[in-house]
Amino acid sequence: MTTATKTTSLEYIKTIGITNNGDNGRGFANPYSIAVSKDGRIYVISRCDPARATAIRVGVQDIDENFLFEFSEGYGSGPGQFVLPVAMAFDSQERLFITDEFNHRVVVYSSEGKFLDQWGEHGSKPGELNGPAGIAIDSNDNVYIADQHSHAISKFTADGRFLLRFGREEDSTPEHNLCQPWGLCTDADDNVLVADWRHNAVKRFSPDGKHLQTLGGLSDTLFNRPSGVALDSEGFVYVTDWGNERLQVFTPSGAHYATERGRATLSKWAEDFFKSNPDEVEVRKISNLTPELPPHLADDPYQVSAQTEPYFWGPVAVTVDDHDRVYVVESNRHRFQIYKRP
Amino acid sequence: MTTTTRQDIDLMAHLMRRAAFGATLDELEQKAAKGYEETVEELLNPGDPGDLSQDAIRRYHVDHSELRQMNSAAGNWLYRMITSKNPLEERIALFFHSLFATGYTKLNQARCLLNQIDMFRQRGLGRFDTLLVELSRDPAMLLWLDNNESHNGHINENYGRELLELFSMGIGNYTEDDIKEASRAFTGWTLGNVEYMAMRAMKDSIWPYSRIAWHFQYRADDHDEGEKTFLGESGNFNGEDIVAIICRQRATAEFICTRLFQFFAADRVDDDGQAAIDEMIDSYFASEYEIGAVLRTLFNSDYFKSDAARYARVKGPVEYVVGAIKTAGSYRQPTLGIDKVAEQAFFMGQGLLNPPTVEGWHEAEEWIDSGALVERVNFVANELADTSQPGVKAIIGKLADANGGTLTPDEVVDNCLDQMGAIAVSDSTRGALVDHVGEHGNLSLSDDSSEQRVGELLGLIAATREYQMA
C-alpha cells in the first residue's frame, strides 16, 4: 500500500568523497556499495571504469572523513580479485561479503582486508550464480544474493552451501516475481526486501521465499529501476530510485514518507582540493550549480543530474548504519551523501 | 504478389550497405519482398529504435552512465549503431558528425559530444535550417569553436567562419565581411556557467565530483543588437536569421547535397552523379531544406540504383566495424570490450567523437593505408572467426541446411558471400576464396573442423577488396 502521507524532508548530514583519479588513497572511482562495521568504519567498494580497472578496491574511512586504509587483491578473476563488484554486506563475525557479477561469485574478506574465501559457480540452475548483484545477510548469517540474470533470490549459508531460490518460478505475475533484481536488505524478522529493478518495484519476501509486500510496480510511478533498499531501526524503507536519480522513503506500513533529490556539499577532501586550486574557486563562486535547464534536458532526471552537482547522480545503493544514518552511494559523482530521518 | 529476383536482392544489398550497416540475406529477402521504395520509406521514417536499452548499458558499464571517458561514449554510440532498428538515423548522425566535426580533445566532455550526436539523430533527417540552429546552440560546438569567447564588441570569428566555410556553403561563396557579420549575430550564444565550464574543460578537471555537463544559454546582454549586412541582406540579425539566409542560398544546397551524395552514393562525382546531385538540389528547395527528402531523391534515383554506384565508396572504419559486428552477432548485450571496439576504429583511422580537426576525416581512398588495412583485417578476422557468436552460428546453420550439409568449395564461398549480405566479388577474388577453401576439399558440416573453416572463410571475405567497399 503506497497511499501518500505528508511528505517530510530528511535531515542532511554531510557528503564524503572526491573523484579519485589515481589508484590509491582517499576518494572513490565509481563507488558501488557501502557497508558500515559495528565500530562505525565505512567500507566503500570502487567498481572503477575500464581505464582505472586496476584501481579496484575497498576503501575504509570514518564519519569524520579520516581515510583509514584500503584493500583488494586487484582486478581479475584470480583468488579474491574483482572485475565487476556490485554489493557488500557484513556477517555477524564482521566478515565482508562482496558480489561480483562478472566473476559470478562471492568474495569474502576480513574487516581488516584479508582475503578469506570465495564461492559461487556460474550458471542458471538452482545453486548457481548468473550475474550476482545485491547481497544481504540475516541474523543467522544466511546469505541472500540477487541473482540478476536468473531473476531470482538465492539463499546460501555463509560458506556458500545452497539453501533456497525464490522470486522466479513460483509465481507468474510481475507483482510477485522478479526481473533483474539488484539491491537487497533484511528486516528485523529476517524477511528479505528486494529492489526489483526491471519491475520498478520493491518486494518483501519471507525467509522461505513467500511474497509478502510490493511497493511500486510497472504501472506505478514510485520507482524507475530501483537499485538499492535499506531499513532503519523503526522499519522505515529507503530506496535508491536509480532511474529517477532520487531517494524514496516509506513508512513501515508502506506509505510514502519523503523524496530526496540530493543536497551534496563539499566534503573535506573536496575542500582540500580547492585549497590547492584557488583559480577554480573564484569562477565556481559565480556559478549556479543548480541551473535551470532547457526543456530537452529538464525532463530527464539523468540529464538533470549530469548538470546539477548537488543532486544524486547514479544512486546505486543505500545503507543505514546503527545510528539510523542513511548513506546514499553515487557512482557517477564518486561520493556518498548522508541523511537522517528527523 | 511480385517475385523477388536476384537483381532485387542485389539492389537491396546495395541500399542497405549505404543507408544501413549491411544486412543478412534473410533480411535482404524480406525487404526485397516488401519492395525497394517501401524500404526507402521505412528507412526515412524510423519508428522505435528497439535498441539495447540505456538502462541495461548503464547498469553494467559504470562509465557509460558517467560518460567521463571518450571511449565509453564512443562505445555507447556503437551499441546504438549495432542494435538500432533505425540504421539510417545512425548513418545520418555519423554523416553530420563528420561534417560538423567536434572533438573530445579540446572539450574533455564526452557526454556533451554524445548529446550532440543525439541531436544529429533527432534532427538529421529534418530541415537543414533547424539543424543549423540547433548546431549553433549546441554546447559542444559552442566551446569547440570558441563562440563562448565571442562578445558584443569583441567578436571571435571562429564559429562564424566555419559555419560558412565547412558547415554550409564552402569557400568562395561569401566574404570576410559576411564572416564578421555572422559572428556579430551569434554573440550572446554561450553556455550556462561558462566561465567555470570553460576552465574545467581547459584543465580537464574531474574534481571534486566528476564532470558537470553543459547546457546552452543565451545572454541577451552580450548580444550585438546593431544592424548587420550579411550576404547582401541587412537587418538587426540574430543567429536564427543568419541560418535562414544561409539556407536560402544555392551554394548551400550544392554544398550539402554534394556531401550527402559522397557519403551515401559515391566518393567521386561524375557527370551522371552530378545529374543526381542536381535532382537532390531541386528536392532541397522543394521540401524547404529537408534532408530526408533529399535522401529520398538520391536513393530512388537511377544513378543510385545503377552499377556505377555499386561498390563506389570506401567504407569508413566505423561502418566497416559495425557491419562486421552485426554479421557476427556480437555485442547485442552489454559486454566488456565495447570500449575496445571504439579504440579499434580509432586505430583504423576513425576515432568516434575524436575527429582530427574541425574539417573531419579525410575519407574515400584515404581511409585505407597499409596500417589501417592491417587493423581492419585483423579486427574482422577475429570477430567473424569466433564461431560462438550467434551471427556466425546462424551462417553455419544455413550452410548445414544446404545440400545436406556437404558443400563443394564453390558452394561454400557462394553461400557465405550471400549470407554476409549478398556481396559481389570479382572472379579473381572468388577464385582465391574457392582455392583457399579447396585446400581441405569439400566442406562437411559434420566434421569437427568445419565450423572453424567457415569462420576462417568469413574473416577472409571480410579482408577482400570488395568488403572494404560499399
Side-chain angles (χ1 to χ4, degrees), chain B residues 75-87:
Chain B
N76 194 274
W77 188 10
L78 284 173
Y79 275 134
R80 183 88 179 226
M81 292 190 208
I82 292 163
T83 61
S84 174
K85 293 188 176 72
N86 299 334

Side-chain angles (χ1 to χ4, degrees), chain B residues 395 399 403 405-419 430 433-434 437-438 441-445 450 453-454 457-458 461:
Chain B
I395 290 175
L399 295 180
N403 288 356
T406 300
L407 297 92
T408 66
D410 291 84
E411 289 170 333
V412 175
V413 169
D414 291 341
N415 270 282
C416 285
L417 287 168
D418 267 357
Q419 294 298 333
R430 184 178 176 281
L433 295 170
V434 170
V437 176
N442 288 351
L443 180 84
S444 172
L445 269 299
S450 61
R453 288 178 66 191
V454 174
L457 176 62
L458 298 179
I461 289 172

Side-chain angles (χ1 to χ4, degrees), chain B residues 246-278:
Chain B
I246 287 172
C247 288
R248 289 200 286 270
Q249 309 301 312
R250 173 83 187 179
T252 301
E254 289 174 351
F255 176 90
I256 190 64
C257 291
T258 301
R259 294 301 297 261
L260 286 165
F261 177 93
Q262 290 175 313
F263 188 81
F264 287 101
D267 288 331
R268 297 183 185 284
V269 183
D270 59 14
D271 289 345
D272 291 337
Q274 187 57 52
I277 292 172
D278 290 341

Side-chain angles (χ1 to χ4, degrees), chain A residues 143-223:
Chain A
V143 179
Y144 294 87
I145 293 175
D147 200 13
Q148 182 185 173
H149 300 304
S150 289
H151 312 291
I153 305 304
S154 290
K155 181 176 180 179
F156 297 88
T157 62
D159 59 357
R161 185 165 57 83
F162 175 66
L163 298 173
L164 178 69
R165 185 164 83 168
F166 58 88
R168 191 166 90 141
E169 295 102 340
E170 69 273 25
D171 202 308
S172 60
T173 63
E175 188 177 348
H176 294 88
N177 65 16
L178 302 170
C179 190
Q180 293 186 261
W182 190 340
L184 299 180
C185 71
T186 53
D187 68 14
D189 298 322
D190 281 344
N191 298 312
V192 186
L193 280 82
V194 184
D196 188 5
W197 187 73
R198 196 84 185 176
H199 283 152
N200 296 341
V202 169
K203 291 168 185 170
R204 194 185 304 247
F205 295 87
S206 67
D208 58 353
K210 287 193 178 64
H211 173 264
L212 302 174
Q213 182 191 24
T214 293
L215 295 174
L218 289 171
S219 59
D220 208 326
T221 57
L222 274 182
F223 309 119

Side-chain angles (χ1 to χ4, degrees), chain A residues 73-133:
Chain A
E73 296 292 326
Y75 178 82
S77 300
Q81 293 184 322
F82 307 110
V83 174
L84 296 176
V86 182
M88 306 191 294
F90 278 113
D91 72 358
S92 64
Q93 300 170 60
E94 293 265 86
R95 297 183 303 175
L96 189 62
F97 289 63
I98 307 172
T99 57
D100 185 324
E101 66 174 295
F102 184 88
N103 286 325
H104 306 285
R105 68 187 185 191
V106 176
V107 175
V108 186
Y109 279 84
S110 74
S111 60
E112 301 310 313
K114 183 182 176 197
F115 169 58
L116 300 174
D117 192 12
Q118 61 186 41
W119 46 264
E121 293 292 328
H122 182 204
S124 55
K125 296 175 189 162
E128 297 174 332
L129 294 175
N130 194 10

